[in-house]
Amino acid sequence: MKKIITIVLLIIIIIGCATFIFYGTTSPSISLKKDSFQFEYGVPVFLRASDVLDTDNEKILNSFEVDTSKFIYKNHDYPEVGQYDCIVSYTKRNKEISDVIKVNIKDSTPPKFTKIPESITIEQGDDSSLVSNFEAKDLSSFDIKIDTNQLDVNVPGEYEITVNAIDSYKNTTSQTVKVIVKPKQEVVSNNVVQTPTTNGPRYVKGILIVNKKNPVPSNYAPGEDAQAVNQLRLLIQDMQRAGLNISNSYSGYRSYNYQANLYQNYVNNYGQVAADTFSARPGYSEHQTGLAFDLLHQDGSLVENTPEANWIAQNAHRYGFIVRYQAGKEAITGYQAEPWHIRYVGSIATDIYQSGLTLEEYLGVAGGEY
């Protein structure tokens, strides 16, 4: 009898040990995959057991829950930006287990422009309407800010501004927009619209006029006009492709002080009467506008009565230029003929060229001497 009892106890011990070894060494494990999760603002948050827990057998899970009661919602189905502590609860073989994870809601999406024009025209001296030209949208609050460092609202011309839409988390969208500053206009006799000359450059029919009767202020310094330079380079390239002797170099924008020194040198060498026939006094030079250019041969000499000069006379208008000082028009322009001196006027260049008129005649303004 004792022998039988001993055998039964031994069997029980063996079964117990086998059970302990089996469950202690082969039981599937469960652990957190990671303790923090990040979601983009605007996206509903859903966390499944497979997202949070690392296990090779989900069947041993009797329950799983993520407590998101600390999430803050504002009239939508996604939580507000912030970091939340969430309790993860699950049951493994009837054993309740809890862990804490962090859920980070982050806004990393910049605003999107819904209204942004290619160009804006404003009146000289008034940039108050700039911001109204732009609209954007974003899930977070945002501001539209304009970088006007390159804009001189008091000087007519074309500029570029940078428009930024910046949300409350510093996400930024930027666009570059052209701004055209239109001169203040008033109606004078004969229904001609022009700008008074007392406070700045004179515009007639939208064209800047600079001659011996119409100067620009000494502080007028727009630099080279970008569009004019682009068209000038196209003109030079086409002349070179045609085999003409033309340089990539040219004489373009001149400041008031530069022109003053240049003019004085001519006066010193030739006398003022002679100098006034081919050199402008400071403030009276088209070169100060950034719209006038002197074309050069490859040896640096000015383009005169050569095939190059003929080509310029016949084709410059196709690029938005006119030959400003023509032979036989000296009494009107106030200067000797200069086949090398071209002036950018844009789309009306062909009309002026076909008319055969000087800029003074075309615009109906006075020219000649000072």
Side-chain angles (χ1 to χ4, degrees):
M1 186 67 176
K2 289 182 179 180
K3 185 176 182 180
I4 294 173
I5 293 173
T6 301
I7 292 172
V8 170
L9 290 173
L10 182 61
I11 291 172
I12 292 173
I13 291 171
I14 292 172
I15 293 173
C17 290
T19 301
F20 174 80
I21 293 172
F22 176 79
Y23 284 106
T25 59
T26 64
S27 177
S29 63
I30 298 178
S31 62
L32 291 178
K33 284 185 176 180
K34 53 184 181 179
D35 60 4
S36 64
F37 297 82
Q38 182 168 298
F39 292 86
E40 181 65 22
Y41 183 49
V43 177
V45 176
F46 297 105
L47 287 169
R48 299 167 298 180
S50 59
D51 299 323
V52 179
L53 300 177
D54 188 9
T55 179
D56 52 6
N57 185 1
E58 290 189 16
K59 292 182 179 180
I60 66 173
L61 284 174
N62 299 115
S63 65
F64 172 81
E65 182 182 3
V66 177
D67 181 6
T68 60
S69 60
K70 293 184 178 180
F71 283 0
I72 299 174
Y73 293 89
K74 291 183 179 179
N75 301 320
H76 38 63
D77 61 352
Y78 48 86
E80 291 298 297
V81 172
Q83 183 169 284
Y84 302 92
D85 290 335
C86 300
I87 297 175
V88 177
S89 303
Y90 55 95
T91 305
K92 174 187 175 183
R93 297 192 182 281
N94 298 320
K95 181 182 179 181
E96 295 286 343
I97 302 174
S98 295
D99 282 303
V100 176
I101 62 172
K102 295 185 181 298
V103 176
N104 186 27
I105 310 300
K106 184 177 181 180
D107 185 350
S108 61
T109 303
K112 292 183 179 179
F113 282 111
T114 57
K115 176 185 176 185
I116 186 159
E118 292 184 3
S119 65
I120 303 169
T121 299
I122 61 175
E123 189 173 86
Q124 180 182 358
D126 182 12
D127 61 355
S128 60
S129 64
L130 276 179
V131 174
S132 64
N133 289 276
F134 308 100
E135 294 179 3
K137 65 177 182 179
D138 193 76
L139 295 178
S140 301
S141 60
F142 65 91
D143 291 319
I144 294 179
K145 297 182 178 180
I146 300 178
D147 181 356
T148 58
N149 287 334
Q150 303 301 316
L151 172 65
D152 189 344
V153 71
N154 295 310
V155 178
E158 291 187 3
Y159 303 87
E160 283 191 345
I161 60 172
T162 301
V163 184
N164 302 297
I166 309 172
D167 70 18
S168 53
Y169 301 99
K170 307 303 181 184
N171 300 304
T172 305
T173 298
S174 299
Q175 291 283 348
T176 300
V177 178
K178 180 170 70 174
V179 174
I180 302 169
V181 178
K182 182 179 64 174
K184 287 184 178 179
Q185 296 180 332
E186 62 178 13
V187 178
V188 297
S189 60
N190 299 323
N191 295 321
V192 176
V193 178
Q194 62 184 40
T195 298
T197 59
T198 53
N199 297 321
R202 181 183 180 189
Y203 287 78
V204 178
K205 300 179 182 177
I207 302 298
L208 174 60
I209 180 72
V210 177
N211 60 14
K212 292 181 177 181
K213 296 287 195 297
N214 297 279
V216 291
S218 59
N219 63 354
Y220 182 72
E224 286 188 342
D225 183 88
Q227 186 172 358
V229 171
N230 287 338
Q231 292 301 106
L232 177 71
R233 297 194 186 283
L234 290 175
L235 180 150
I236 290 174
Q237 288 173 8
D238 287 349
M239 290 186 70
Q240 291 173 343
R241 290 191 185 102
L244 296 171
N245 177 14
I246 192 75
S247 173
N248 288 322
S249 299
Y250 56 86
S251 178
Y253 171 73
R254 299 174 191 166
S255 68
Y256 180 92
N257 290 336
Y258 181 95
Q259 187 66 28
N261 292 330
L262 182 66
Y263 176 76
Q264 189 59 51
N265 287 336
Y266 286 132
V267 170
N268 293 342
N269 290 323
Y270 301 99
Q272 186 169 19
V273 174
D276 281 341
T277 65
F278 60 84
S279 179
R281 297 176 186 179
Y284 294 84
S285 172
E286 278 201 322
H287 285 280
Q288 193 178 336
T289 69
L291 296 166
F293 305 90
D294 289 345
L295 297 173
L296 307 173
H297 289 302
Q298 291 180 357
D299 63 1
S301 62
L302 292 167
V303 173
E304 297 191 69
N305 294 325
T306 62
E308 288 76 20
N310 293 335
W311 190 98
I312 293 167
Q314 296 168 9
N315 295 280
H317 66 94
R318 298 193 295 114
Y319 304 85
F321 293 95
I322 59 172
V323 177
R324 184 67 175 89
Y325 307 123
Q326 305 170 25
K329 300 284 189 176
E330 292 84 354
I332 298 172
T333 64
Y335 295 103
Q336 298 175 9
E338 294 186 358
W340 60 82
H341 181 107
I342 58 176
R343 159 69 194 276
Y344 185 74
V345 293
S347 59
I348 67 166
T350 297
D351 193 33
I352 297 175
Y353 165 75
Q354 292 175 346
S355 74
L357 301 174
T358 64
L359 188 59
E360 284 83 2
E361 292 172 309
Y362 184 83
L363 296 177
V365 299
E369 296 304 316
Y370 294 104

